[in-house]
Amino acid sequence: MGRLASDIGGTFTDLVYFDEQSGVLKMEKSLTTPNDLTEGVEETIHLAQIDPDNIDFFVHGGTTVINAITERKGAKTALVTTLGFRDVLEIARGNRPDLYNLSFQKPVPFVPRRLRFEVAERLDATGREIEPLNLADLDAVIERCRAEDVEAVAVQFIHSYAAPEHEEAAAQYLRDKLPGVAVTASYEITREWREYERANTAVLNAYVQPIVQRYFDSLESSLRGQGLDCPFAAMQSNGGTTSFSWAKAHPITLVESGPAAGVNGAALVGKLCGEEDVIYLDIGGTTAKCSVIREAQVKVTTDYKLEWTRINPGYPVKVPVVDIVEIGMGGGSIAWFDRVGTLKVGPVSAGSDPGPASYGLGGTEPTVTDAKLLTGVLNPGYFAGGRITLDVDAATRAMQKIVDGLGTSVEEAAVAVLRLADADAINALKLVSIQRGHDPREFVLVVGGGGGAMHAATLGRELGVREIIIPLYPGYFSAWGMLATEPRRDFVQTALTRADDLTAERLNELFAGLRKEAEEYFRDQDGATEAQLDFEFGIDLRYLGQEHWVTVAAALEGLSVEFILCDFHIAHERAYTFRLDDTPVEFVNFRLTATARVPLPTVQPLNGAGRS
């Protein structure tokens, strides 16, 4: 029997199959089919010639969620919130990155004001009811949603992270009265505070939910029609997997599923090579992703922002996401001149349809892939396993735009495109390393993606890493990483409390509640027993008056407030170079990461003669 992983990228759809008896890996790749993504998945299975009866596990990741958001192709969505908070999405936050830009414009909310509704209800920050919820108030909202042909509704009430009863009742009422409409309650996605971030997260989940439900239903129906009769798992952004059914209700947790799998794979490769400090770089057809792995630990954050740039605050997503920096630079990135004649590369990509000019599928714009072909890096007769013969003449014609703009030869124009692409990648690598206090000379660089190996030497030399590691089959690395991933879910509960008011008993009570949730979740989703689960506990703390916090690890055995405070002071000094021992401390969020131990494929090292 074997395990099958499928990863859909902007340009290619990848497949990796692991035969558990023989230890043999099979890899296949086909162009992504944007009009029907299931076709690309089916094509890779067909090309790999895998007997469906030999597949006992299927895991899938891809760009369905993030593409629907970035292309604004989600469902028509409404928001129901507490009276007085209708404009929370519009107000957003004042700490924009481009502070001195007088022409700054806020990102446009995903829900227009006419579809943002208020109902009378109120809880305080401890979850105590101040004003009850009158479900009859929702009837007018329901009628308006019907009239507007709303496809999805997000519900977010103030302080529902402390007590979700009002949200739960409202969401159920809406589901009963609006059959066929996807309803998301914010507490179902996160129990972490901050009303704007929770509202935006709930809205984005609702926005993509109908699309993901249709896609997963179609994919599962198609694969089962081909004879697959096994559990179906989805790769999450937190570096773990979950069931299709849970993913369809919580699709925002899949926003960075493919890149997260690649980071997992990089951590495993580093461990096998005896390297715990790794900088990971993945260059695909559309984007480049990079992340830092310190002491063999993948960093996961809930401060993720979609479409964030140095001048754009983006859209916050309060779900656990592997800490990744992503830029619009890949093999399909188009080279172009701006209005003042400056050469640019990306973020627009030729994708898979029509693809780079050299694919011969109708593309006419010069891309990074065309530049690699014209500089002799790519073999025109052996691309994508020999199934695509690259057209040198088409690449030359496309590159003529750059030749005319720079007044150089074709080869020099191609080199200019590659140097600019490398400069964009090195800026991203420095952002995740040097600008976050890491010395690249202490790290190794692990590269993946179809373009990673081609750029690795230049980027590694510029960054100054100790060593560059290129794993076997780097073009399939994210799909391979999915096979080395365990079921995982992160639980969080905000309970803002002064350290002086907290006891060890209260700490144990909060973590016991999170642990109970985790055990129930894995029992329902994976049939896992408590003995199969591993737990990691953490607490977010801050000095009184601070806005943000520092997370410290916690162990249930011998848990005490004094030990936690001691660890916090040390962690704060490490992060910010100072500590305030005499300043009151607040405990903010309590975190639990739970993973289920499952059999994973073994990795065979290369023998002395080369490939094993």
Side-chain angles (χ1 to χ4, degrees), residues 487 518-534 595-598:
E519 291 170 355
E520 291 175 351
Y521 166 80
F522 281 103
R523 184 171 59 250
D524 294 340
Q525 295 295 321
D526 301 284
T529 64
E530 183 181 350
Q532 294 174 279
L533 303 181
D534 293 321
T595 55
R597 293 187 296 277
V598 297

Side-chain angles (χ1 to χ4, degrees), residues 429-458:
L429 287 166
K430 289 180 178 179
L431 180 61
V432 298
S433 57
I434 296 172
Q435 294 190 31
R436 297 186 181 180
H438 302 297
D439 185 346
R441 294 172 297 183
E442 300 174 356
F443 288 76
V444 299
L445 178 66
V446 174
V447 295
M454 293 188 289
H455 295 262
T458 300

Side-chain angles (χ1 to χ4, degrees), residues 126 161-162 191 491-498 501-518 537-540 556 559 561 587-592:
T126 66
Y161 60 85
R191 296 286 297 276
F491 300 83
V492 60
Q493 175 66 65
T494 296
L496 186 64
T497 312
R498 290 276 190 96
D501 299 327
L502 203 59
T503 63
E505 289 74 21
R506 176 57 176 160
L507 290 176
N508 279 295
E509 178 186 337
L510 287 164
F511 281 130
L514 295 177
R515 183 164 179 161
K516 182 180 178 182
E517 283 187 60
F537 302 91
I539 304 175
D540 298 337
L556 292 191
L559 188 65
V561 175
F587 285 63
V588 183
N589 300 311
F590 296 81
R591 301 183 182 275
L592 167 63

Side-chain angles (χ1 to χ4, degrees), residues 12 24 34 94 169 209 217 255 267 306 310 320 326 373 409 416 424 434 446 504 511 535 547:
F12 285 100
V24 172
Q209 190 171 359
D217 286 344
V255 67
L306 274 166
R310 63 180 183 83
E326 185 168 356
L373 175 64
S409 68
D424 290 340
I434 296 172
V446 174
F511 281 130
F535 301 102
E547 170 70 5

Side-chain angles (χ1 to χ4, degrees), residues 1-4 17-18 20-21 51-58 228-232:
M1 301 301 287
R3 299 165 63 85
L4 180 67
Y17 173 76
F18 176 74
E20 294 175 321
Q21 276 74 42
D51 184 352
D53 292 335
N54 291 334
I55 300 172
D56 58 7
F57 178 76
F58 175 80
L228 268 73
D229 184 18
C230 63
F232 285 70

Side-chain angles (χ1 to χ4, degrees), residues 82-345:
T82 304
L83 183 65
F85 289 85
R86 178 185 183 186
D87 293 317
V88 66
L89 294 178
E90 204 89 46
I91 296 170
R93 293 287 175 191
N95 53 345
R96 62 181 189 264
D98 197 16
L99 190 60
Y100 298 104
N101 180 1
L102 300 182
S103 301
F104 171 79
Q105 293 184 336
K106 288 182 178 179
V108 178
F110 280 78
V111 179
R113 197 169 194 272
R114 73 178 191 279
L115 295 180
R116 302 199 295 261
F117 307 106
E118 299 176 333
V119 295
E121 69 82 41
R122 195 61 185 264
L123 304 172
D124 68 12
T126 66
R128 182 177 59 87
E129 185 176 80
I130 297 175
E131 183 175 355
L133 169 67
N134 185 356
L135 291 175
D137 291 347
L138 290 169
D139 291 336
V141 174
I142 291 167
E143 290 304 314
R144 185 70 179 276
C145 288
R146 287 173 179 158
E148 291 276 358
D149 294 323
V150 165
E151 301 171 85
V153 179
V155 183
Q156 186 262 335
F157 294 150
I158 300 305
H159 301 312
S160 61
Y161 60 85
E165 288 78 14
H166 284 188
E167 269 192 9
E168 185 178 18
Q172 188 58 52
Y173 191 80
L174 290 168
R175 288 174 179 133
D176 292 340
K177 300 291 184 178
L178 292 171
V181 173
V183 178
T184 294
S186 73
Y187 83 92
E188 297 170 334
I189 309 300
T190 179
R191 296 286 297 276
E192 189 172 341
W193 71 344
R194 299 192 186 282
E195 67 278 5
Y196 164 57
E197 288 79 0
R198 284 193 303 116
N200 195 74
T201 304
V203 162
L204 289 177
N205 191 83
Y207 183 73
V208 299
Q209 190 171 359
I211 292 173
V212 172
Q213 286 178 337
R214 288 193 293 268
Y215 168 61
F216 273 29
D217 286 344
S218 173
L219 178 62
E220 185 170 1
S221 174
S222 171
L223 295 179
R224 294 204 184 280
Q226 292 190 36
L228 268 73
D229 184 18
C230 63
F232 285 70
M235 183 70 203
Q236 299 183 97
S237 305
N238 65 358
T241 60
T242 189
S243 67
F244 264 29
S245 61
W246 196 87
K248 286 188 287 188
H250 308 78
I252 196 61
T253 63
L254 313 180
V255 67
E256 290 283 8
S257 65
V263 179
N264 277 0
L268 178 56
V269 166
K271 183 178 179 181
L272 292 169
C273 295
E275 300 286 353
E276 293 189 337
D277 296 332
V278 172
I279 296 174
Y280 173 59
L281 172 67
D282 178 313
I283 300 179
T286 306
T287 58
K289 287 79 66 175
C290 47
S291 184
V292 166
I293 301 160
R294 189 73 173 177
E295 297 179 352
Q297 295 298 312
V298 174
K299 182 180 179 183
V300 176
T301 178
T302 55
D303 290 328
Y304 176 80
K305 294 181 179 65
L306 274 166
E307 301 179 10
W308 182 94
T309 68
R310 63 180 183 83
I311 61 173
N312 180 11
Y315 298 90
V317 178
K318 266 303 185 193
V319 296
V321 177
V322 171
D323 193 11
I324 294 171
V325 169
E326 185 168 356
I327 61 171
M329 194 288 286
S333 294
I334 294 172
W336 55 285
F337 291 99
D338 65 13
R339 287 183 295 179
V340 296
T342 302
L343 180 63
K344 305 282 187 180
V345 175

Side-chain angles (χ1 to χ4, degrees), residues 460-487:
R461 185 185 305 114
E462 174 71 17
L463 197 61
V465 295
R466 290 190 295 105
E467 190 174 81
I468 299 171
I469 299 173
I470 301 175
L472 286 177
Y473 315 113
Y476 303 88
F477 201 64
S478 289
W480 179 81
M482 292 178 194
L483 292 182
T485 297
E486 296 175 312

